[in-house]
Amino acid sequence: MSYVDEVYDLVVAKNPAQPEFHQAVKEVLESLRVVIEANEEAYRKDALLERLCTPERQILFRVPWVDDKGQVQVNNGFRVQFNSAIGPYKGGLRLHPSVNLGIIKFLGFEQIFKNSLTGLPIGGGKGGSDFDPKGKSDREVMAFCQSFITELYKYIGADTDVPAGDIGTGAREIGYMYGQYKRLTGLYEGVLTGKGLTYGGSLARTEATGYGLLYLTEEMLKCNGRDIKGMTVAVSGSGNVAIYAAQKAQQLGAKVVTVSDSTGWVYDPEGIDVALLKEVKEVKRARLTEYAAARSSAQYHEKKNGEHGVWNVKCDVALPCATQNELDLEDAKALAANGCIAVAEGANMPTTLEATEYLQKNGVLFCPGKAANAGGVATSALEMSQNSERLSWTFEEVDSKLKGIMVNIFHNLDEAAKKYGMAGNYVAGANIAGFLKVAEAMTAQGIV
Ligand code: GLU
């Protein structure tokens, strides 16, 4: 059996009931097959793939907090410090009822390659909790965040592990966590990114994932002889990534016609009103029904069982910006049949393996999240730089660095795909380019 297959089987056997983690590992290992096989003996002797697929450290903890009725609630807390070969662990904290160890491991594993692709010195990590901030009061969210950090503060630090936002963790949660970290340690340091601008945050960090997604998509289309200007774009999700993806797509002259949330989706043939969307989602923290109620051109659709809705709309470009496995084979078929020419992932692993293969086989340009959504974490690394030098850069400075990073990522993965005989396979290109840097650093640092 080849080394790649052996390690995949081992990962499945050693990590039972973690399907998302298996999926993430499978995608990466399949892409690496040619690279590994060219040097199989050395990689096998060093157990490089086993080490790559095993987190350096996993921290699991209890998060007790008191709700507004005086009732004690208990959540599970996680931080997976996956790989520190190229820098301190870096990755977000997801707060969502679906969070479990397998989800955090898939996200942490993806983060290793994503962070490597940015070209910046950041290792891979991820954390979170099954706490659901939805419907909680500010006081309840603060109680949870303070309890979460009271346990986690022992394991993080500006030079060891720097968490940030993800689904359910935004500026409010980062603020409460930062305050508690500072109170416990007495340190005013860049231990978290995505901070508010008055206490060490970076301009353009809020916009970075969505803007970065569009910078990369624009470059991918350009290199394939197409211009995003005038194109119709379908976006899923309505959180931080989706909002700023829609905004940048419009700035680039495209028309965004959809957004979605967990219960429904909106088709707005006139183009999404981003200011209204921000008001509904960022200020009121309300559902998309409120968006539809306030805009006559918008059609609201309830999500029926298993249906993803937005992918049945005719579009040139699809940007899944909601969550994992939200675009399946049926959706991929609908997109291709409707003439979609490009899919770029704003979320982490939103496309199933079968859907990815179908899109690639049917000539749809496909850029995986670990490249396409790397703008968020890249700008987090820029926030770390600013914190270290105790300076703040202008919006234009950060934004132009972000653009340079995204364009660079695309060319790196494009070239890696070509070099290994898989031109146009951006999944393989991203995995190979991300892997090579980490593998070299791991090898140089010995068996650790
Ligand atoms: N959660 C984001 C991601 O998936 C950002 C992580 C960060 O900024 O550290 O990459």
Side-chain angles (χ1 to χ4, degrees):
M1 200 192 262
S2 83
Y3 180 39
V4 160
D5 294 321
E6 237 173 68
V7 173
Y8 178 69
D9 287 353
L10 198 79
V11 166
V12 173
K14 279 200 180 191
N15 303 272
Q18 298 183 347
E20 293 85 4
F21 180 49
H22 303 165
Q23 182 183 341
V25 170
K26 190 180 178 79
E27 185 213 277
V28 169
L29 291 184
E30 278 305 331
S31 301
L32 295 180
R33 200 177 280 280
V34 278
V35 180
I36 301 297
E37 281 171 5
N39 201 7
E40 185 161 318
E41 222 172 291
Y43 283 138
R44 191 197 287 270
K45 185 154 186 280
D46 279 357
L48 191 104
L49 293 183
E50 290 89 329
R51 284 190 288 140
L52 190 72
C53 296
T54 308
E56 289 176 16
R57 194 169 300 101
Q58 306 181 53
I59 302 146
L60 278 69
F61 51 100
R62 180 170 74 199
V63 190
W65 56 280
V66 182
D67 73 14
D68 285 347
K69 297 192 187 96
Q71 174 65 48
V72 175
Q73 301 286 343
V74 181
N75 286 105
N76 295 325
F78 304 90
R79 185 71 182 166
V80 173
Q81 299 182 328
F82 222 118
N83 190 299
S84 63
I86 64 168
Y89 310 105
K90 184 81 197 86
L93 297 170
R94 178 170 294 191
L95 300 183
H96 192 269
S98 65
V99 164
N100 57 44
L101 184 59
I103 295 277
I104 299 300
K105 277 164 73 179
F106 117 64
L107 291 164
F109 185 71
E110 288 281 294
Q111 204 83 41
I112 303 171
F113 307 94
K114 183 194 308 198
N115 294 4
S116 168
L117 283 169
T118 66
L120 300 166
I122 38 178
K126 201 86 184 192
S129 172
D130 55 359
F131 172 77
D132 187 359
K134 246 188 227 139
K136 304 285 191 302
S137 69
D138 285 351
R139 197 211 57 80
E140 289 175 321
V141 170
M142 179 167 70
F144 168 82
C145 290
Q146 290 182 340
S147 179
F148 184 84
I149 285 297
T150 299
E151 191 57 38
L152 189 64
Y153 88 97
K154 302 164 208 166
Y155 308 101
I156 60 176
D159 293 313
T160 48
D161 184 354
V162 184
D166 195 81
I167 294 173
T169 306
R172 173 182 61 172
E173 290 74 18
I174 293 291
Y176 293 148
M177 290 183 191
Y178 189 77
Q180 184 72 352
Y181 179 86
K182 179 165 62 79
R183 188 182 193 193
L184 290 166
T185 61
L187 296 171
Y188 206 103
E189 61 170 18
V191 65
L192 290 157
T193 59
K195 300 186 290 300
L197 296 176
T198 51
Y199 62 96
S202 172
L203 284 160
R205 176 62 189 88
T206 308
E207 294 83 355
T209 314
Y211 277 23
L213 174 65
L214 267 295
Y215 292 145
L216 187 137
T217 304
E218 184 188 27
E219 189 66 14
M220 174 171 78
L221 289 168
K222 198 171 101 192
C223 292
N224 285 279
R226 307 297 291 255
D227 187 351
I228 193 164
K229 196 164 175 222
M231 287 191 174
T232 299
V233 178
V235 168
S236 65
S238 49
N240 171 267
V241 182
I243 289 173
Y244 293 96
Q247 186 173 76
K248 184 50 79 177
Q250 289 179 354
Q251 286 172 10
L252 297 175
K255 190 198 237 182
V256 178
V257 292
T258 61
V259 282
S260 65
D261 65 16
S262 55
T263 47
W265 59 283
V266 161
Y267 175 57
D268 194 340
E270 303 272 291
I272 294 293
D273 179 340
V274 174
L276 175 61
L277 181 64
K278 282 168 92 167
E279 172 70 20
V280 170
K281 285 289 162 183
E282 290 182 344
V283 182
K284 293 188 181 159
R285 298 181 188 271
R287 305 242 63 109
L288 281 174
T289 41
E290 290 217 13
Y291 174 94
R295 188 154 159 94
S296 58
S297 59
Q299 302 163 15
Y300 180 79
H301 302 265
E302 269 317 309
K303 264 188 199 165
K304 298 193 196 88
N305 257 357
E307 228 183 54
H308 300 146
V310 292
W311 312 128
N312 291 304
V313 166
K314 192 169 168 45
C315 66
D316 303 302
V317 175
L319 303 175
C321 297
T323 194
Q324 65 271 2
N325 293 329
E326 54 157 312
L327 196 166
D328 63 18
L329 184 58
E330 288 311 305
D331 301 322
K333 286 182 181 166
L335 283 169
N338 277 331
C340 174
I341 58 165
V343 174
E345 297 184 321
N348 291 313
M349 209 171 73
T351 314
T352 64
L353 289 174
E354 297 76 28
T356 303
E357 259 170 47
Y358 184 87
L359 292 168
Q360 289 178 317
K361 282 198 184 125
N362 285 275
V364 180
L365 302 172
F366 182 86
C367 189
K370 57 173 74 74
N373 73 35
V377 76
T379 307
S380 276
L382 301 179
E383 182 173 329
M384 290 165 72
S385 299
Q386 294 168 76
N387 292 162
S388 295
E389 62 176 16
R390 300 191 190 284
L391 290 172
S392 317
W393 306 340
T394 62
F395 187 95
E396 290 69 29
E397 203 173 344
V398 179
D399 188 41
S400 86
K401 283 192 166 74
L402 167 64
K403 187 165 186 186
I405 290 167
M406 299 313 295
V407 168
N408 219 6
I409 290 178
F410 177 74
H411 288 284
N412 282 346
L413 59 89
D414 188 33
E415 274 155 35
K418 285 181 183 144
K419 186 171 166 194
Y420 287 91
M422 292 180 275
N425 184 344
Y426 302 137
V427 173
N431 287 328
I432 292 170
F435 166 77
L436 287 173
K437 180 178 176 187
V438 175
E440 197 179 320
M442 285 176 72
T443 305
Q445 291 172 34
I447 306 306
V448 292

